[in-house]
Amino acid sequence: MSQDRIPPRVRAMYGPEDLSSSPSFAGGYINFGYWEAIPLTDELDDADRTRSQQDLYRRVLGEFGRPAGSRVAEIGCGRGLGSALALREFDFASVCGVDIHPEQLARARAANAELLATHGGRLCYELGAADAQPFPDASLDALYSVEAAQHFRELTGFARESARVLRPGGQLVMTTFFSTGPQAAAPLAELLESFADGLDVAHPIDDFEADLGKAGFTSVRVESIGAAVWPGLDRYLEGTPVRGLWPRNFLIAWRQGLLDYYLVSATRAEEG
Ligand SMILES: C[S@@+](CC[C@H](N)C(=O)[O-])C[C@H]1O[C@@H](n2cnc3c(N)ncnc32)[C@H](O)[C@@H]1O
């Protein structure tokens, strides 16, 4: 995979800038978290923040209903902690974390060296992209992605490639933030520098739903989970040194109806 395929802001953010070291995050995970089970007191700490991010993974992985023997992959695995959690807590046959950024993969392999050594063959981390996944046709039972698709330049290729690698009847579950429609792109770029500088793309949720249908998915389900994400994240950020900086505008953008956090699940159509 050529480094040229990585958009410049994505290359910098997950290379030298190492987003996981920002005070907005904790514990090596890099997502905004699912806060439903965490009391939003004034004293949220790093343990709460880490748990919120693990709970976002649990919310996604819970959609699979623990199919025994599943061959599973994650797209945009970052430091690989969510892939390790999937293996430990959900008992899949194998989990392979995929990321476009070689530095993230090096971090994932280092952070999970013990598990890789003890569960050799059941856990792996591979270089690949949402639209160029390193798997043969119909080789996976399940595929998931957590807060990575906002970085993909387009989602048509992600939908098409996910349909290719899943076996008929296999399931895709993903979560991240999407815009509520094309009209939101300009105001989002005004409010949030990650949209203005090209780190994030304001993908309209309806377009992605259509992409999944065209790629051969059925039973497409889209659920808004923003109420369990943005208020909790903002309460945490209130108590950190990132106070006043751009991440806090996510809550404002959500309240203005410009974006939302969604959980999307879909099933690869059976053949014939
Ligand atoms: C916000 S981080 C999320 C990491 C992890 N899922 C988590 O929740 O901790 C997004 C990750 O997606 C990766 N990424 C960005 N564009 C990608 C693409 N087109 N294909 C695969 N991975 C990509 C980045 O390198 C980064 O590691």
Side-chain angles (χ1 to χ4, degrees), residues 65-113:
R66 299 182 192 227
S70 293
R71 301 153 298 169
V72 177
E74 171 175 5
I75 304 300
C77 66
R79 286 177 163 251
L81 300 173
S83 307
L85 180 150
L87 192 67
R88 274 199 320 269
E89 297 187 13
F90 288 78
D91 203 28
F92 297 118
S94 61
V95 180
C96 191
V98 173
D99 204 283
I100 199 170
H101 206 305
E103 289 184 48
Q104 290 291 68
L105 281 179
R107 293 179 184 119
R109 290 185 182 128
N112 300 286

Side-chain angles (χ1 to χ4, degrees), residues 17-264:
E17 293 177 33
D18 186 8
L19 185 60
S20 69
S21 63
S22 155
S24 303
F25 302 96
Y29 293 87
I30 323 169
N31 66 63
F32 290 153
Y34 188 78
W35 297 82
E36 195 175 72
I38 302 171
L40 300 186
T41 65
D42 291 338
E43 289 169 19
L44 291 174
D45 60 18
D46 281 5
D48 297 310
R49 184 71 185 93
T50 301
R51 177 169 172 208
S52 74
Q53 295 172 99
Q54 293 170 330
D55 282 356
L56 186 60
Y57 270 98
R58 293 179 181 119
R59 180 72 180 77
V60 165
L61 294 165
E63 294 285 309
F64 290 129
R66 299 182 192 227
S70 293
R71 301 153 298 169
V72 177
E74 171 175 5
I75 304 300
C77 66
R79 286 177 163 251
L81 300 173
S83 307
L85 180 150
L87 192 67
R88 274 199 320 269
E89 297 187 13
F90 288 78
D91 203 28
F92 297 118
S94 61
V95 180
C96 191
V98 173
D99 204 283
I100 199 170
H101 206 305
E103 289 184 48
Q104 290 291 68
L105 281 179
R107 293 179 184 119
R109 290 185 182 128
N112 300 286
E114 200 178 318
L115 205 57
L116 281 168
T118 52
H119 289 66
R122 290 186 62 209
L123 180 67
C124 69
Y125 296 103
E126 295 289 340
L127 195 62
D131 59 358
Q133 299 179 22
F135 307 111
D137 294 358
S139 59
L140 297 178
D141 299 300
L143 190 63
Y144 68 95
S145 181
V146 172
E147 207 168 302
Q150 76 281 1
H151 298 319
F152 307 163
R153 297 304 99 174
E154 46 85 27
L155 297 182
T156 312
F158 172 51
R160 187 192 56 237
E161 191 65 348
S162 299
R164 181 186 69 77
V165 300
L166 282 168
R167 65 161 169 78
Q171 201 182 352
L172 168 70
V173 182
M174 61 86 68
T175 196
T176 194
F177 46 96
F178 289 83
S179 75
T180 50
Q183 80 295 339
L188 280 173
E190 288 279 313
L191 264 179
L192 288 158
E193 70 183 42
S194 61
F195 287 108
D197 68 13
L199 176 65
D200 295 331
V201 181
H203 297 298
I205 184 64
D206 290 351
D207 289 2
F208 182 52
E209 196 173 352
D211 283 340
L212 290 171
K214 283 185 218 144
F217 283 95
T218 58
S219 309
V220 180
R221 194 168 60 80
V222 173
E223 182 183 347
S224 157
I225 60 167
V229 175
W230 307 116
L233 170 73
D234 197 72
R235 176 59 71 88
Y236 176 78
L237 293 176
E238 211 175 339
T240 72
V242 296
R243 188 178 208 118
L245 295 182
W246 64 269
R248 301 209 59 195
N249 280 349
F250 274 103
L251 181 67
I252 293 167
W254 175 63
R255 285 192 175 140
Q256 290 182 355
L258 299 171
L259 56 66
D260 202 352
Y261 214 102
Y262 293 97
L263 182 75
V264 181

